[in-house]
Amino acid sequence: MVNVEASVCLIDKACIPCMGGIPPLDSAATNKLLAEVGHGWKINEAGHLFKEYKFDDCMGPIAFANRIAELAEAEAHHPDITIAWGKCSIEIWTHKISGLTESDFILAAKIEGIN
């Protein structure tokens, strides 16, 4: 029997709010999902999903951050967004468990979809 869930792309899934009480993803699951997201996303020193986007001006990062904010509201999953001239950095993790869940990778994939 085919696992239907495995054939669904991250971008097509919805973020699921974490109520706590679950363990963060292990390194094998994290590495698999990181490879699926691709596009330069990394795990930073804090163990969070991270990417920095580059722009040629000041308004590009601001407009991009606003699109991410709209997406975050729709998904009820909110990343840390840092804006500076020519760049917008995104850091994602599930605060309730101080670690990563599949929803973090879903949000990263959806952010890639609006870039």
Side-chain angles (χ1 to χ4, degrees):
M1 180 168 195
V2 175
N3 181 353
V4 176
E5 194 67 22
S7 65
V8 177
C9 294
L10 286 171
I11 199 169
D12 296 325
K13 294 182 177 183
C15 293
I16 300 169
C18 179
M19 304 308 280
I22 63 166
L25 294 173
D26 62 25
S27 61
T30 297
N31 290 334
K32 178 184 176 291
L33 290 168
L34 187 60
E36 188 174 338
V37 171
H39 301 286
W41 284 89
K42 299 176 183 176
I43 305 298
N44 68 12
E45 309 81 37
H48 303 161
L49 199 50
F50 179 84
K51 183 170 180 182
E52 183 175 273
Y53 292 86
K54 301 285 186 179
F55 296 85
D56 294 328
D57 61 6
C58 181
M59 295 307 294
I62 293 169
F64 184 54
N66 284 331
R67 290 194 308 272
I68 292 169
E70 290 174 11
L71 171 65
E73 279 296 300
E75 292 293 323
H77 194 45
H78 303 89
D80 284 7
I81 303 171
T82 304
I83 303 168
W85 194 98
K87 62 185 174 182
C88 180
S89 300
I90 311 300
E91 188 171 4
I92 308 170
W93 75 101
T94 300
H95 295 85
K96 288 260 187 192
I97 62 168
S98 294
L100 297 173
T101 64
E102 183 183 41
S103 289
D104 300 313
F105 293 90
I106 292 169
L107 184 60
K110 289 178 182 278
I111 290 169
E112 279 302 313
I114 63 172
N115 181 29

